[in-house]
Amino acid sequence: ARRTARVSIAAIAAVVLAAGLLQTHVSAYRDPQWEHGLGDRGRKGEAAARLAAALPPGARIASDFDEIVHLHTGRVLVPALGLIAEDYVFPQSDSTVAARLGATVAAFGITHVIVADVPTLKAVQWLDAHGVPFRPVASDSGGAVVFARTGTVPPTSPTRQ
């Protein structure tokens, strides 16, 4: 009886998963984003890549579109904010996100941050207001801005709050 129950639960789960995948594929077929680049993410990534290409060769860059920038330009850069599962479960405060960006800036000697997403923008603004000065130096109509670090990074980065 237990074996039958397990098989039934597994079968139901498989059917639900298959139905979800089928729905996703049908909706993608009706409005295929792949025909239009990647929509908003593709537009912002290409804007970030254009800005990165214009930076000096010695620039140490962090970006929230690091993979797209590298693909388009071949530039070596680091993610401004690494992917953390916690971000998808619990909203993170601006100071917490800024602490992560501040740690990246300090660890890699980042000179420029290319911003195209709101969390990274808020983190740059928070750092600027709390002793890690940044100034905007370029922007692209695709939705990206380059901030240059204008001072030194303090020995201690912001803490989680």
Side-chain angles (χ1 to χ4, degrees):
R2 285 186 182 199
R3 180 173 165 82
T4 304
R6 282 188 204 150
V7 171
S8 296
I9 292 171
I12 291 169
V15 168
V16 169
L17 181 61
L21 287 172
L22 181 63
Q23 180 184 9
T24 301
H25 286 284
V26 168
S27 64
Y29 180 75
R30 277 189 245 151
D31 182 27
Q33 286 191 352
W34 47 267
E35 288 183 358
H36 310 290
L38 291 173
D40 190 47
R41 183 153 177 80
R43 181 179 51 78
K44 288 180 177 181
E46 289 174 357
R50 285 190 294 271
L51 291 171
L55 291 175
R60 291 181 174 230
I61 309 167
S63 175
D64 38 17
F65 286 86
D66 57 295
E67 70 286 350
I68 296 174
V69 171
H70 177 71
L71 180 66
H72 283 282
T73 66
R75 303 248 357 206
V76 176
L77 61 160
V78 297
L81 303 171
L83 295 175
I84 297 177
E86 184 180 22
D87 292 346
Y88 296 97
V89 180
F90 305 107
Q92 302 297 307
S93 69
D94 292 346
S95 62
T96 299
V97 177
R100 288 179 21 215
L101 179 59
T104 299
V105 168
F108 294 98
I110 298 300
T111 60
H112 296 80
V113 179
I114 302 175
V115 175
D117 280 341
V118 173
T120 309
L121 175 61
K122 287 183 175 182
V124 168
Q125 291 170 336
W126 196 95
L127 289 172
D128 184 56
H130 292 87
V132 183
F134 282 95
R135 65 181 166 82
V137 293
S139 64
D140 186 281
S141 61
V145 178
V146 176
F147 288 89
R149 197 179 79 212
T150 58
T152 58
V153 178
T156 57
S157 55
T159 58
R160 286 184 153 219
Q161 293 182 4

